[in-house]
Amino acid sequence: MIDKNLIFEKSNDSLSSYNFFKEDGFDITKHLPQNLIREELEVFPDMSEGEVVRHYIRLSNRNFGVDTGFYPLGSCTMKYNPKINEKISKMDPFANMHPYSSEDRVQGNLEVMYKAAQDLAEITGMDEVSIAPCAGAHGELTGLYVIDAYFKDKGEVRDVILVPDSAHGTNPASANVAGFKVVTVKSDANGFVSIEDLQVKIGDNVAALMLTNPNTLGLYEKNIETIVDICHKKDIQLYYDGANLNAILGISRPGDAGFDVAHLNLHKSLSTPHGGGGPGSGPVGVKKHLKAFLPNEKVTFADKKYKITGRGDKSIGKVRAFYCNFSVIIKSYAYIVTLGAEGLRKSGLLALLNANYLGYLLKDKFDIATKDHIMHEFVILLEKELRDSGLGIMDFAKRILDYGYHAPTVSFPLHNCLMIEPTETETIEVLDKFAETMLKIYDEMKNAPDLLKNSPTKTPIKRVDDITAARQPILKYDFQ
Ligand SMILES: *Cc1c(COP(=O)(O)O)cnc(C)c1O
């Protein structure tokens, strides 16, 4: 039986965790900051210390994360986050540095920022990287501002960004926020950028083409050289959305492929935890001709000293307060240094191996969108089977929860699909078990669709109306 009681419902007047000697004339409320005193909270819960601990541990167990189970969320790349990196980032000199400290006192921290930017430039094949942006989408916005500044500096008016129809929603959104118009480039029948359509869409007013490679179907753009040629003839800048970089880590580099700007999502390629709204990082790298336009501050090294310097008049200026989300940079840097070039390459190859192995186990029953060509993730199409069983994609996804897994991404980038991406560190046993479960649910879909329709049955909260839950969350206990 799941304990669903709130802490207020468990409250018992005869209990308390701490005794603040009120009876001896000591009133704790006089010694606390007055803004923290909650006078309106009449029913402050009274519980024993042990029960308080149990209550919150119980709540924490209702969460699902990479530390509780397999989390094959396609597109999002749930990287393994070694715990040692968390520990390093919390070390006193890192965690308690003040951003206004004098440079002399924080040489070690500046060294981390400097070397992280250098390593990221090496990994992406870019000439210079700014570690300022706070997320992948923020990296996109920063990169697009850089491109805008580049053309303004040349005295050219270019107000269009090309985005393939398979692109992540943040691409057109960032282009819009940066003040550009968005024009969509179609995919061909095999899921690659249509060269024919690209030829039609390139005009003198196009500033950049944004590409994710491998793309959101898990396909490496085989025409990348042609695409680069077509664009560069018109000085159209090639923007690399690095969300899938983990698939080519140490194998190929966007800079070598001809991209002018590239962002990395450190939480997708270089092992930092996925948000929960917490700090993220989306460093953006550029080729030489765009260096001067990057966000203003950078760390330089000369005369055996690290310094923070400005990039000068052409810089787009600040994109955030201070320098970067430092704790995230440290975690990634620790990961890079620990693995080294060989290890990073291996993590990329393992991501490919795991996805291909899982795809192999599923391909006989499931219709995989790109059967002969899987990179680090793959897309399963369920349109027909679901229709035949009178079910929706959510029914399939929610049933997966009953077996103790996080569901894959649904309905992206195609309707009624599941997008599966196993973490590179998952063992063969985990993948075998997951494949077995997926095949079982496939049979349930055919033979016992009600099991899917009524799922999940084993989670603390059953099926919620996603939209109402997001728009009208009930977060407050009603004392009436
Ligand atoms: C996740 C993702 C983004 C956005 O990155 P955030 O770090 O979540 O802002 C952009 N493009 C693609 C392809 C992605 O998968």
Side-chain angles (χ1 to χ4, degrees):
M1 184 59 198
I2 294 164
D3 178 357
K4 283 191 179 170
N5 288 331
L6 302 175
I7 198 159
F8 299 102
E9 292 162 320
K10 291 178 183 167
S11 172
N12 176 341
D13 283 349
S14 67
L15 298 173
S16 77
S17 310
Y18 292 102
N19 183 346
F20 287 115
F21 315 114
K22 214 168 185 172
E23 55 275 25
D24 300 336
F26 178 82
D27 186 357
I28 184 71
T29 58
K30 296 214 168 65
H31 300 268
L32 290 172
Q34 290 308 299
N35 62 335
L36 294 182
I37 310 280
R38 292 276 171 272
E39 271 168 18
E40 73 277 21
L41 197 63
E42 283 161 23
V43 233
F44 196 82
D46 292 310
M47 291 172 82
S48 72
E49 181 172 337
E51 280 299 309
V52 172
V53 172
R54 285 181 189 146
H55 178 76
Y56 286 107
I57 294 290
R58 200 159 29 231
L59 286 182
S60 74
N61 285 340
R62 297 226 188 122
N63 213 343
F64 191 96
V66 280
D67 290 340
T68 38
F70 185 49
Y71 206 134
L73 200 61
S75 186
C76 294
T77 309
M78 305 305 288
K79 283 287 293 189
Y80 176 59
N81 311 134
K83 298 291 172 275
I84 182 89
N85 297 347
E86 295 291 326
K87 215 168 172 165
I88 292 169
S89 77
K90 289 188 181 72
M91 283 163 66
D92 203 45
F94 290 142
N96 292 327
M97 169 187 68
H98 195 282
Y100 281 140
S101 301
S102 70
E103 285 167 354
D104 285 344
R105 304 186 62 181
V106 292
Q107 283 291 302
N109 292 338
L110 294 180
E111 183 179 351
V112 169
M113 282 157 66
Y114 178 82
K115 291 191 167 163
Q118 296 241 307
D119 285 356
L120 295 173
E122 175 68 26
I123 288 168
T124 51
M126 291 288 157
D127 292 321
E128 191 164 318
V129 165
S130 164
I131 54 174
C134 310
H138 195 204
E140 292 172 27
L141 186 64
T142 306
L144 292 168
Y145 280 150
V146 165
I147 291 170
D148 188 45
Y150 166 72
F151 284 117
K152 286 201 170 121
D153 186 55
K154 290 198 347 165
E156 289 184 35
V157 181
R158 302 216 189 188
D159 57 355
V160 169
I161 301 288
L162 299 180
V163 176
D165 56 10
S166 63
H168 193 267
T170 50
N171 291 183
S174 301
N176 255 304
V177 175
F180 290 99
K181 288 184 210 114
V182 175
V183 172
T184 307
V185 182
K186 288 188 197 129
S187 300
D188 65 17
N190 298 317
F192 297 102
V193 168
S194 159
I195 299 294
E196 227 170 78
D197 197 46
L198 178 65
Q199 297 276 21
V200 175
K201 304 282 165 69
I202 51 162
D204 293 337
N205 56 349
V206 175
L209 166 68
M210 297 180 87
L211 272 189
T212 309
N213 196 25
N215 69 17
T216 53
L217 276 172
L219 292 170
Y220 192 91
E221 286 293 346
K222 59 179 177 192
N223 296 319
I224 190 69
E225 285 177 7
T226 315
I227 294 171
V228 170
D229 272 357
I230 292 173
C231 290
H232 276 175
K233 279 208 179 93
K234 288 185 171 285
D235 200 23
I236 293 170
Q237 300 296 293
L238 274 130
Y239 185 97
Y240 181 84
D241 176 334
N244 291 340
L245 185 85
N246 76 311
I248 57 167
L249 210 53
I251 303 165
S252 76
R253 309 191 302 172
D256 299 335
F259 285 90
D260 304 286
V261 186
H263 84 250
L264 293 112
N265 313 54
L266 294 188
H267 49 286
K268 291 180 183 173
S269 298
L270 294 164
S271 162
T272 59
H274 272 252
S281 181
V284 64
V286 299
K287 287 285 179 57
K288 273 196 190 67
H289 63 289
L290 298 171
K291 271 162 77 166
F293 305 99
L294 281 173
N296 200 23
E297 282 137 344
K298 69 168 178 174
V299 182
T300 50
F301 183 60
D303 302 329
K304 298 193 186 150
K305 267 188 80 165
Y306 292 95
K307 278 174 81 73
I308 290 180
T309 53
R311 282 196 172 84
D313 291 349
K314 291 189 176 176
S315 159
I316 59 166
K318 267 192 171 305
V319 293
R320 55 159 294 131
F322 300 115
Y323 317 110
C324 59
N325 273 339
F326 189 51
S327 72
V328 186
I329 297 290
I330 295 173
K331 286 175 212 177
S332 269
Y333 185 62
Y335 185 75
I336 293 169
V337 175
T338 314
L339 266 66
E342 258 320 295
L344 286 180
R345 182 181 161 83
K346 194 169 167 196
S347 84
L349 290 171
L350 282 175
L352 301 183
L353 178 64
N354 272 2
N356 277 273
Y357 179 67
L358 196 52
Y360 170 80
L361 294 179
L362 298 179
K363 76 174 170 27
D364 289 342
K365 267 198 179 160
F366 287 94
D367 180 9
I368 295 179
T370 52
K371 243 193 182 68
D372 340 305
H373 182 123
I374 291 175
M375 292 277 299
H376 62 297
E377 63 192 353
F378 58 93
V379 170
I380 282 176
L381 304 167
L382 282 163
E383 183 92 38
K384 184 178 174 310
E385 289 96 331
L386 289 171
R387 200 178 331 111
D388 291 349
S389 306
L391 296 168
I393 190 70
M394 272 304 187
D395 298 318
F396 198 105
K398 296 286 183 191
R399 183 63 178 156
I400 298 173
L401 309 187
D402 273 340
Y403 290 93
Y405 298 107
H406 195 284
T409 299
V410 297
S411 289
F412 177 80
L414 304 167
H415 282 297
N416 286 329
C417 79
L418 292 174
M419 189 180 199
I420 301 180
E421 177 173 13
T423 302
E424 75 285 353
T425 43
E426 295 296 350
T427 62
I428 195 166
E429 288 80 11
V430 170
L431 300 178
D432 284 342
K433 191 104 193 115
F434 180 71
E436 199 183 291
T437 304
M438 288 290 285
L439 297 170
K440 192 165 164 203
I441 299 176
Y442 186 93
D443 290 340
E444 289 177 352
M445 168 179 68
K446 300 247 151 152
N447 306 322
D450 279 354
L451 281 178
L452 278 65
K453 197 143 215 109
N454 300 323
S455 63
T457 56
K458 301 207 176 110
T459 50
I461 306 263
K462 305 295 173 268
R463 188 91 62 110
V464 291
D465 178 329
D466 291 336
I467 295 172
T468 312
R471 299 220 169 129
Q472 293 163 24
I474 303 164
L475 301 175
K476 203 170 168 198
Y477 180 60
D478 182 0
F479 292 108
Q480 312 313 313

